Amino acid sequence: MTPLTESEARGHMAGVCFKIGPPRLVGVELEWFVHDDRCPTHPVLPERLHAALNALPLGGPDGTSLPSGSRLTLEPGGQVELSSPPADSLTGCVADTRRDLAALRAAFAAQGLRLTGTGTDPLARPRQMVLDHPRYVAMERFFNSAGPWGRIMMTGTASLQVCLDSGAESGPHSLDRRWRLAHRLGPVLVAAFANSPLLDGRPTGHRSTRQTVWSRMDPSRTLAPSPDHGDPRETWTRYVLDAEVLCVRRHDGLPWTAPAGLTFRDWLRGRGERPPTLADLDYHRTTLFPPVRPHGYLELRMIDAQPGDGWIVPAALATALLDDPVAADAALAALEPLECPDGPRPPRSDVWRRAATLAVADPELRRATLTCFAAADAALGRMPGAERLRAVVAEFAERYPARGRCPADDQLDALRSGSLRTPPEEAAP
């Protein structure tokens, strides 16, 4: 492998992490907890998870298991993640993902298993690592040195990620504008879709416990990279190079470890056990978890998993606000008062903390959220074929933010009534 120079690393980052062009593609990544229908408080053995996945009939494109070609992966705590293929439109993304989810749910139901959409597992059941890949062993070791938050994240949280194109060099769809809006929209997405008020069967005092967990982890890899300062490509490159190396991959059976405090920039400058390669840099990027992560496209990572088809609403909201220039203007204006540029970076800033704790019960966040939903409603009205999506988003807005509520409040209500004996119902909003 050819050793990598710092100049080559910077050039690679700028070209690979942000694909420039008019926004067109939409995708989602959906994580689900898996519960046993008969014994929901018992852990599901890895063998049953693999049996359900292996039972999926082939029939998708390129020999994949799902009809529309979504990818399936297992997360360290046994969560199942479905990653949709990029679609040419929001409506196409929704149709493809619903089709694949139906096949996935059927395969798990045949094994007596249920997919549960919530940001943290609401039930008191043992949480354990079900994967022993060197990556996850290294990740657990790295995060354990700073408290319980990393292990909770790996085994007890689930997210919903919306993936949208980076944008163009200039104009209403410019990368700079979309990068800034994606970050500023973060507190609204956390608050509106907060769905993790419980951990180990008990209230935590946070509507989005999942987001709170992320905010307490290693800041070099979970804080936002100063989204309002400089070209996003330069800002992101600095962020990646200054992040601590989580592990160095080895192929000789030895553990994947790295010297404590070693940043990738340090590694490039000769502090590591060997010179880094381009493959090492690309792998290092996969161990960074800021609220918005560029993968050639923008991956919005701050949203709790939602029940049933509830993932459709945040996907529609984010897409409408970023892809419609009029809606983007309205959202930026509504979100500007929430930001404090001299304070801590997201997700440790005051507004992100309030979003995770109070959600839309916070008056300022509620006003901004309702304005963003109104802007998205108008944008969906301008989107061909989106009539049904527009109605679903409007129904959610009326049920939750208009009443100062979020999905987490449904879980808390169920806990108070004594009905939270099984995971939340998998019903669409």
Side-chain angles (χ1 to χ4, degrees):
M1 291 284 186
T2 304
L4 185 66
T5 68
E6 193 165 338
S7 174
E8 289 168 342
R10 296 175 68 87
H12 178 72
M13 295 291 296
V16 167
C17 295
F18 298 93
K19 300 296 186 183
I20 301 301
R24 183 174 62 88
L25 301 177
V26 184
V28 291
E29 299 175 15
L30 310 176
E31 294 177 353
W32 306 88
F33 289 106
V34 182
H35 290 94
D36 187 312
D37 263 336
R38 291 177 298 177
C39 305
T41 58
H42 291 189
V44 177
L45 295 176
E47 293 80 5
R48 292 186 69 192
L49 296 172
H50 288 293
L53 293 172
N54 292 336
L56 283 164
L58 296 178
D62 303 321
T64 55
S65 298
L66 295 174
S68 299
S70 295
R71 290 187 301 106
L72 294 174
T73 52
L74 274 182
E75 296 298 299
Q79 307 94 317
V80 174
E81 180 177 77
L82 181 147
S83 301
S84 76
D88 288 333
S89 67
L90 173 62
T91 54
C93 175
V94 169
D96 289 347
T97 306
R98 291 190 72 175
R99 188 179 304 115
D100 284 353
L101 270 175
L104 183 63
R105 287 187 177 116
F108 274 71
Q111 299 289 327
L113 302 174
R114 178 194 302 192
L115 300 180
T116 303
T118 178
T120 51
D121 193 336
L123 301 183
R125 62 174 183 162
R127 282 186 281 108
Q128 58 189 9
M129 296 278 288
V130 303
L131 301 179
D132 60 0
H133 188 280
R135 170 187 174 92
Y136 297 120
V137 174
M139 191 177 292
E140 182 181 24
R141 182 187 303 112
F142 180 91
F143 286 130
N144 278 351
S145 66
W149 313 113
R151 185 175 178 85
I152 292 172
M153 177 275 291
M154 295 172 71
T155 62
T157 67
S159 70
L160 184 170
Q161 298 162 26
V162 182
C163 303
L164 299 166
D165 281 331
S166 299
E169 284 288 0
S170 60
H173 295 299
S174 71
L175 164 62
D176 180 71
R177 175 181 167 91
R178 288 167 68 82
W179 178 252
R180 187 170 69 254
L181 176 54
H183 283 88
R184 290 190 175 181
L185 188 59
V188 161
L189 295 174
V190 171
F193 304 107
N195 189 36
S196 52
L198 307 174
L199 187 65
D200 296 330
R202 297 187 299 272
T204 65
H206 303 269
R207 293 298 198 277
S208 179
T209 303
R210 175 189 161 274
Q211 184 57 51
T212 299
V213 167
W214 278 106
S215 72
R216 295 178 179 178
M217 292 170 56
D218 172 25
S220 83
R221 61 189 355 95
T222 59
L223 294 188
S226 302
D228 288 328
H229 297 91
D231 186 308
R233 288 162 288 201
E234 295 178 5
T235 302
W236 176 247
T237 296
R238 287 195 301 271
Y239 181 90
V240 172
L241 298 186
D242 290 338
E244 193 170 344
V245 176
L246 187 145
C247 64
V248 176
R249 291 178 297 170
R250 296 182 176 88
H251 304 288
D252 52 9
L254 294 175
W256 293 11
T257 59
L262 178 74
T263 69
F264 203 89
R265 193 185 303 277
D266 293 333
W267 195 4
L268 287 167
R269 295 178 179 179
R271 275 196 52 200
E273 63 189 57
R274 60 167 174 79
T277 66
L278 189 60
D280 291 319
L281 175 60
D282 285 336
Y283 191 81
H284 172 64
R285 290 191 293 112
T286 71
T287 70
L288 306 180
F289 311 105
V292 180
R293 184 167 65 176
H295 276 305
Y297 51 87
L298 303 183
E299 180 186 76
L300 280 61
R301 301 178 46 83
M302 69 288 289
I303 309 167
D304 283 355
Q306 302 291 297
D309 283 340
W311 59 271
I312 294 173
V313 179
L317 182 75
T319 304
L321 293 179
L322 265 75
D323 285 2
D324 185 292
V326 176
D329 282 341
L332 282 169
L335 297 167
E336 187 173 3
L338 298 179
E339 292 301 315
C340 180
D342 298 326
R345 281 155 45 201
R348 296 193 177 186
S349 65
D350 175 68
V351 67
W352 282 73
R353 179 185 57 78
R354 286 187 282 131
T357 304
L358 302 173
V360 287
D362 179 276
E364 192 176 28
L365 275 163
R366 183 183 179 188
R367 284 193 297 271
T369 299
L370 289 173
T371 300
C372 287
F373 268 88
D377 176 76
L380 291 168
R382 295 186 285 269
M383 186 182 295
E387 295 82 4
R388 176 56 187 154
L389 289 180
R390 186 183 186 188
V392 169
V393 172
E395 289 165 10
F396 183 97
E398 176 59 31
R399 178 178 176 181
Y400 291 113
R403 302 179 185 182
R405 291 175 60 87
C406 61
D409 292 304
D410 293 344
Q411 290 193 43
L412 292 171
D413 289 347
L415 183 70
R416 283 188 287 265
S417 69
S419 61
L420 193 71
R421 292 184 295 274
T422 59
E425 288 298 320
E426 289 293 89

